[in-house]
Amino acid sequence: MSILITGGAGYIGSHTCLCLIEKGYDVVVIDNLDNASDESLKRVTRLTGKEIPFYEEDVRNTDKVIEIIGKHNVDSVIHFAGLKAVGESVAKPLMYYENNLVSTVHLAEAMEKTGVKKLIFSSSATVYSQNNIVPLTEEGNLGCTNPYGWTKLMNEQILRDAAKAHPDWSIVLLRYFNPVGAHESGTIGEDPSGTPNNLMPYVSQTAVGRRDHLTVYGDDYDTHDGTGVRDYIHVMDLAMGHVAAVEYASRFNGCDAINLGTGVGYSVLDMVKAFEKANGLKIPYVIGPRRPGDIATVYSNPEKAARLLGWKAERTLEDMCRDQWNWQKNNPNGYR
Ligand code: NAD
Ligand code: UD1
C-alpha cells in the first residue's frame, strides 16, 4: 500500500514525504515541477535512504493518475498540488481556478474510478472570513478576499459534496496556519521563486544578503506592538500533522475540517527579534504601509486537532527561527 502525494516536491510536500517514510509508509509523488525542483526529493532520499517513485506529471491528467494509483497500489492520497501566490491569483484568477479546482475534481474522479477512499487536502486559514474572533475554531465564518483563497474554499465544498455522495470516503481538510522553518538537517526547506511574499523567507533572504532590508507592513494595528500577529507553525510539526491525519482517515468516514496551528500568535517584530536572537544576526527593517488584505490578528484554536488526530505542534519559536536560518545559510539560493 502506498500514499500518493500530489505536489510532493514542494515545500510542505517534501517534508511530509520525509515524515511518512520515517514512519514506515511507502509514498509515490506526482508533481509537475511548476513551483518546485525534484532536487528536494533527491535530498529526502539522501536523508531517509529510501528511493521515492516520482512522476513529473500534472494532476489534471486523470488517465496518468489512474495508471499510477494502480501501479503503486495506492490506498490514500495527500493533495498538496496547487498554485499558492495570493498576488498572482488576483492578476491571473482564471489560471488559479483552472489549476486548483480542475486538479481536485480530476483527482477525485481518479479516486472514484480506482476505489481509493481516503484523501487529505491542503486547505488554509485563509478560508476564514475577516469577521471572526480569535482564536479561530473550525466553526468560524468562512469567506475569502482573493481568488487563491476562494479556490481553497471551493475545493472544500467540492470535497464535502464528494464525501456526501460516497459515504465510505474519508476526507480530511487541513487548514494550515503559517508554515515556517525547515527540516533540522538544513537539507530541505522552502525555496520560493522570485521575491518572497511571506514573512519568514523574506527575513532569512535578508539575513543571507539576497534582500537589502525587510519592510514591516504596518505598525498601527491593534496588537501589542502594532504589527500583524500570526500563528507560525514549524513545517516539521505540520508534516507530522499529515501523518496523524492519514491515520485518522482510517478511523472515520465523512469529511471534516481541522486547523493545524500552534494556538499562539506572534507579531512581525516578535518574529524578527526571535530570528535575530536565535541566530545572533541583525535584520535591517523599515516600517512601511499596511499590505492590502491583511488583518491585525490571526491564530488558531488547535483543540480539534488534539482531540481527533492526537496531534499538537511541539517545536518552539526558537526551533522555527534556527531551522529557517540553517536551511537558508546552507542553501543561499535554495535548490539552484
Ligand atoms: P509549493 O508550491 O511548494 O508546493 C505545491 C506543489 O504543487 C509544487 O511543487 C508545484 O510544482 C505542484 N503543482 C502545482 N500545480 C500542480 C498540478 N496541476 N499538477 C502537479 N503538481 C502541481 O507549496 P507549499 O507551500 O508546499 O503548499 C502546499 C499546499 O498547501 C498548497 O496547496 C498550498 O496552497 C497549501 N498551503 C500552503 C501554505 C503555505 O504558507 N505554504 C499555507 C496554507 C496552505
Ligand atoms: C499570507 C496570505 C494568505 C496565505 C498565507 C500563507 C496575503 C494577504 N495572505 O498570509 O492568503 O494563506 O500567506 O501562504 O497575502 N509581513 C511583513 N513584511 C513582509 C511579509 C509579511 O511585514 O515582507 C507581515 C504581514 O503583513 C503579516 C505577517 O508578516 O502580518 C505574515 O505575513 P505572511 O507570511 O505573508 O502570511 P499571512 O499574511 O498570514
Side-chain angles (χ1 to χ4, degrees):
M1 294 288 193
S2 307
I3 303 176
L4 175 63
I5 317 282
T6 77
Y11 173 44
I12 306 169
S14 54
H15 288 79
T16 302
C17 284
L18 187 143
C19 288
L20 286 165
I21 292 169
E22 283 179 344
K23 289 280 171 190
Y25 291 95
D26 289 324
V27 300
V28 47
V29 170
I30 300 181
D31 196 304
N32 64 5
L33 301 185
D34 183 88
N35 192 40
S37 153
D38 62 352
E39 176 63 18
S40 61
L41 295 175
K42 290 181 183 145
R43 295 192 186 184
V44 172
T45 293
R46 224 184 294 153
L47 287 165
T48 58
K50 192 151 176 196
E51 283 297 330
I52 300 173
F54 170 60
Y55 295 86
E56 186 177 339
E57 279 295 340
D58 199 294
V59 184
R60 289 168 289 182
N61 184 350
T62 316
D63 290 342
K64 193 71 198 177
V65 173
I66 288 173
E67 184 191 317
I68 293 166
I69 287 175
K71 186 168 171 203
H72 293 274
N73 198 14
V74 167
D75 159 71
S76 35
V77 180
I78 307 183
H79 182 32
F80 291 108
L83 301 174
K84 64 163 187 177
V86 173
E88 186 184 52
S89 81
V90 175
K92 298 178 182 170
L94 301 181
M95 184 172 96
Y96 269 67
Y97 287 117
E98 209 276 330
N99 189 71
N100 290 4
L101 300 183
V102 173
S103 61
T104 303
V105 172
H106 285 202
L107 185 63
E109 283 172 352
M111 289 170 59
E112 259 179 350
K113 289 185 176 141
T114 53
V116 174
K117 298 182 169 67
K118 288 177 273 183
L119 174 71
I120 315 300
F121 174 69
S122 294
S123 189
S124 167
T126 200
V127 300
Y128 293 113
S129 63
Q130 303 201 344
N131 60 342
N132 282 295
I133 45 164
V134 287
L136 289 161
T137 68
E138 290 77 358
E139 286 73 43
N141 299 315
L142 303 176
C144 302
T145 53
N146 58 71
Y148 165 72
W150 282 113
T151 69
K152 290 296 173 196
L153 198 47
M154 289 176 183
N155 269 326
E156 287 200 1
Q157 187 60 44
I158 289 167
L159 293 172
R160 279 184 202 287
D161 291 338
K164 248 184 239 158
H166 297 286
D168 58 345
W169 279 21
S170 314
I171 301 185
V172 188
L173 310 169
L174 293 178
R175 294 178 179 160
Y176 313 152
F177 281 70
N178 292 58
V180 297
H183 184 254
E184 317 23 52
S185 64
T187 319
I188 56 170
E190 184 173 15
D191 183 16
S193 51
T195 308
N197 297 310
N198 295 121
L199 177 66
M200 290 312 276
Y202 206 103
V203 167
S204 57
Q205 288 195 9
T206 304
V208 87
R210 280 173 69 182
R211 314 278 156 205
D212 274 357
H213 62 269
L214 170 74
T215 302
V216 176
Y217 296 143
D219 68 349
D220 57 353
Y221 286 105
D222 184 15
T223 62
H224 65 273
D225 61 14
T227 67
V229 167
R230 296 291 183 274
D231 185 341
Y232 298 92
I233 174 167
H234 196 296
V235 67
M236 288 300 291
D237 279 332
L238 193 70
M240 288 307 294
H242 290 76
V243 177
V246 165
E247 286 161 6
Y248 176 58
S250 304
R251 302 194 294 269
F252 102 114
N253 291 327
C255 183
D256 213 353
I258 302 180
N259 288 339
L260 291 187
T262 65
V264 180
Y266 291 107
S267 74
V268 177
L269 292 181
D270 289 338
M271 295 306 286
V272 170
K273 284 179 206 144
F275 187 90
E276 289 180 336
K277 183 162 178 244
N279 301 309
L281 292 162
K282 265 305 203 214
I283 303 297
Y285 68 84
V286 298
I287 306 291
R290 292 182 177 194
R291 180 172 65 179
D294 275 357
I295 58 173
T297 303
V298 181
Y299 59 91
S300 69
N301 178 328
E303 279 168 20
K304 188 171 177 185
R307 184 162 41 83
L308 297 182
L309 307 183
W311 167 94
K312 67 179 177 51
E314 286 171 354
R315 289 163 179 82
T316 63
L317 180 58
E318 191 186 345
D319 297 333
M320 299 179 210
C321 292
R322 188 199 54 232
D323 293 337
Q324 178 87 28
W325 177 234
N326 194 27
W327 152 253
Q328 188 76 72
K329 76 167 186 259
N330 289 329
N331 304 272
N333 296 308
Y335 290 115
R336 278 150 294 215

